[in-house]
Amino acid sequence: MVLRKKSRQTQRENPMNTIVQKYGGTSMGTIDRIKNVARRIIAKKEQGNRMVVVVSAMGKSTDQLVAMAYAINDRPPKREMDMLLATGEQVSISMLSMALAEMGQKAISFTGPQVGIKTKGVHGRARIMDIDTTKITQALADDSVVIVAGFQGVNENDDITTLGRGGSDTSAVALSCVLHCPCEIYTDVDGIYGVDPRLYPPAKKLDVVSYDEMLEMASLGAGVMHTRSIELGRKYNADITVASSIHDVPGTLITASAAATQKPITGMAVYNDEMMVSIKNVPYDVNISARLFSALAAAGINVDMISQTSPIADRMHISFSASHDDIDALEKALAEFQAAYPQTAVDLREDAVKMSVVGSGMKAHPGVASKFFRLLSAQHFPILMVTTSDIRISCMIPAEARERAVMAVADGFEL
Ligand code: ASP
Ligand code: MG
């Protein structure tokens, strides 16, 4: 999104006490739940706030629309898909507006195109470029609650676009950026957890997490928040609160200040569908890595972790990981590589998982890596590969060690 320069004030100024709230599909899933959302909006409004509310489609209705599309055409045209999927949110904005009217609260609903949510890019994955706030500001001045359809916008050809599944979060954060006000995301979980509670039941909810940590923990965060919404929040320094729409407990604040993070490790993520490739005895030559990875890229294989040993006696080892989805293309590319370099030994390991610990606190706390490896080594399994960034340590481990590793690390770092 490119905000016009003059509107680049900070969200914290918020002179008009505006709040953007977003309610997801579960929170809007039934008539009673829509009424509950309406009551929550009125309560906030009565505290003197001007309310802008973004909603997702009711319950699983977007999935049902997708199924309908595929029932009639197994390759539905993307423009028509967006036309169809955008209707889900149009149902929920009007229903919520009616619920508010029934409770005596003035409200007006708008689709994305109606409030000038301008997008660019391909159908099904469009990106918000700009939002015209005129209509919203007028309606707020008129004392109305403004309800905006999430997940949708309009492109330069006046076609309806959608932002990718889960994209209502991004609509809400983008609105809070242009209105310079806080963003509250209400969902069916109590906030962001350091570890997925399904993997580690004692997992604790985080009070604060930084944008960078959220992005590094994409597999954790993506389940709760649309990744693009975090990127936007980071770019415009917008505070985002994620909380439950049902339980009245404080949620998680997503913000820039990693200083608020006291612990060395904020969270852990585990990715299951990885494969690991080791190529031994590769002749050392300056072009060989480029040749190997170009061949993989040409075959459409997304390579994740890479490690290469320094050459000993003109031979080196190269290891990398890739997604399980690419196994056919990978086997073919590896066979071609080995045919070109017959002295190499190629090993493809399908039963590997990638485990990452993430934390801005890592920069200030020495010894995080040593503690991480100590915790893992106590479980007696080999670590197959390691990579790091300044706030993350990732390693590849045998799939059979997954549960033990998660418990040991989560206990050890009190996640
Ligand atoms: N209704 C859309 C979806 O199901 C957008 C959203 O929920 O954020 O993906
Ligand atoms: Mg969501």
Side-chain angles (χ1 to χ4, degrees):
M1 188 169 64
V2 207
L3 289 184
R4 270 167 259 114
K5 272 241 167 54
K6 66 171 171 30
S7 63
R8 272 191 181 242
Q9 333 157 305
T10 80
Q11 178 199 34
R12 293 177 189 91
E13 289 167 28
N14 193 19
M16 309 296 281
N17 289 334
T18 310
I19 299 179
V20 172
Q21 292 193 330
K22 180 247 165 178
Y23 292 91
T26 314
S27 312
M28 292 289 291
T30 62
I31 300 298
D32 279 344
R33 288 187 183 174
I34 294 177
K35 288 184 185 166
N36 172 52
V37 168
R39 279 189 290 270
R40 295 176 56 103
I41 295 167
I42 292 173
K44 265 274 160 91
K45 175 131 195 339
E46 282 173 353
Q47 291 165 16
N49 299 297
R50 306 200 313 174
M51 304 300 295
V52 176
V53 181
V54 174
V55 289
S56 299
M58 290 175 68
K60 299 253 170 278
S61 62
T62 309
D63 291 340
Q64 285 158 9
L65 293 170
V66 172
M68 271 170 66
Y70 283 94
I72 208 157
N73 183 336
D74 55 18
R75 295 179 71 185
K78 292 206 155 52
R79 177 188 182 279
E80 304 311 325
M81 197 67 177
D82 275 358
M83 191 68 117
L84 177 66
L85 297 193
T87 62
E89 272 69 14
Q90 196 170 337
V91 170
S92 44
I93 53 170
S94 49
M95 291 292 283
L96 179 58
S97 189
M98 290 177 196
L100 285 162
E102 165 68 19
M103 295 176 191
Q105 172 59 56
K106 219 157 125 188
I108 180 165
S109 68
F110 293 113
T111 64
Q114 278 181 314
V115 278
I117 300 187
K118 298 274 169 15
T119 67
K120 256 207 156 87
V122 296
H123 280 288
R125 259 190 299 127
R127 288 163 77 99
I128 298 177
M129 298 311 290
D130 200 5
I131 303 179
D132 180 357
T133 53
T134 319
K135 273 216 173 98
I136 299 176
T137 327
Q138 277 166 3
L140 289 175
D142 193 33
D143 210 33
S144 273
V145 169
V146 176
I147 302 162
V148 180
F151 177 56
Q152 55 179 262
V154 60
N155 69 14
E156 59 277 21
N157 304 323
D158 285 337
D159 286 327
I160 293 179
T161 55
T162 65
L163 310 178
R165 296 303 305 271
S168 298
D169 297 331
T170 297
S171 310
V173 172
L175 277 165
S176 83
C177 293
V178 293
L179 296 167
H180 316 293
C181 69
C183 186
E184 303 174 350
I185 305 281
Y186 290 102
T187 170
D188 52 351
V189 293
D190 289 347
I192 313 286
Y193 284 76
V195 201
D196 186 336
R198 285 167 302 187
L199 288 178
Y200 181 69
K204 298 186 195 60
K205 190 182 68 203
L206 303 171
D207 296 329
V208 189
V209 60
S210 73
Y211 308 119
D212 291 333
E213 290 169 329
M214 271 301 273
L215 290 170
E216 285 278 16
M217 292 192 289
S219 83
L220 264 184
V224 183
M225 290 286 288
H226 195 231
T227 304
R228 179 76 190 133
S229 69
I230 309 296
E231 289 169 358
L232 266 187
R234 174 167 69 174
K235 185 165 173 196
Y236 293 100
N237 200 13
D239 280 351
I240 305 167
T241 307
V242 180
S244 162
S245 61
I246 297 146
H247 307 136
D248 213 6
V249 293
T252 302
L253 174 67
I254 309 173
T255 186
S257 64
T261 319
Q262 296 302 326
K263 295 201 294 187
I265 295 299
T266 304
M268 170 170 70
V270 181
Y271 307 77
N272 288 323
D273 64 337
E274 298 258 328
M275 297 179 292
M276 176 163 157
V277 176
S278 317
I279 310 179
K280 298 204 173 91
N281 226 13
V282 181
Y284 178 72
D285 112 35
V286 284
N287 296 318
I288 201 154
S289 299
R291 212 170 294 153
L292 170 65
F293 291 109
S294 310
L296 295 174
I301 298 161
N302 223 330
V303 172
D304 180 15
M305 303 164 85
I306 299 178
S307 94
Q308 178 189 311
T309 61
S310 33
I312 298 174
D314 274 349
R315 289 280 185 272
M316 59 183 185
H317 299 340
I318 299 178
S319 306
F320 60 88
S321 69
S323 159
H324 235 277
D325 297 342
D326 295 333
I327 185 149
D328 296 335
L330 183 61
E331 278 177 335
K332 187 160 169 276
L334 290 174
E336 283 165 12
F337 182 80
Q338 214 189 2
Y341 300 96
Q343 66 276 61
T344 60
V346 176
D347 176 48
L348 172 67
R349 179 163 187 158
E350 286 184 59
D351 59 339
V353 297
K354 178 172 137 185
M355 173 178 206
S356 301
V357 286
V358 174
S360 307
M362 225 180 255
K363 294 187 207 161
H365 291 76
V368 172
S370 81
K371 179 166 176 183
F372 179 58
F373 291 120
R374 233 182 314 116
L375 291 167
L376 292 181
S377 70
Q379 300 299 317
H380 306 291
F381 57 78
I383 293 173
L384 308 172
M385 187 171 27
V386 178
T387 60
T388 61
S389 82
D390 59 347
I391 64 163
R392 175 182 52 78
I393 307 171
S394 299
C395 66
M396 224 36 191
I397 61 174
E400 57 82 18
R402 176 173 170 264
E403 266 77 48
R404 274 153 46 221
V406 168
M407 293 297 163
V409 173
D411 280 345
F413 284 108
E414 294 170 39
L415 296 179

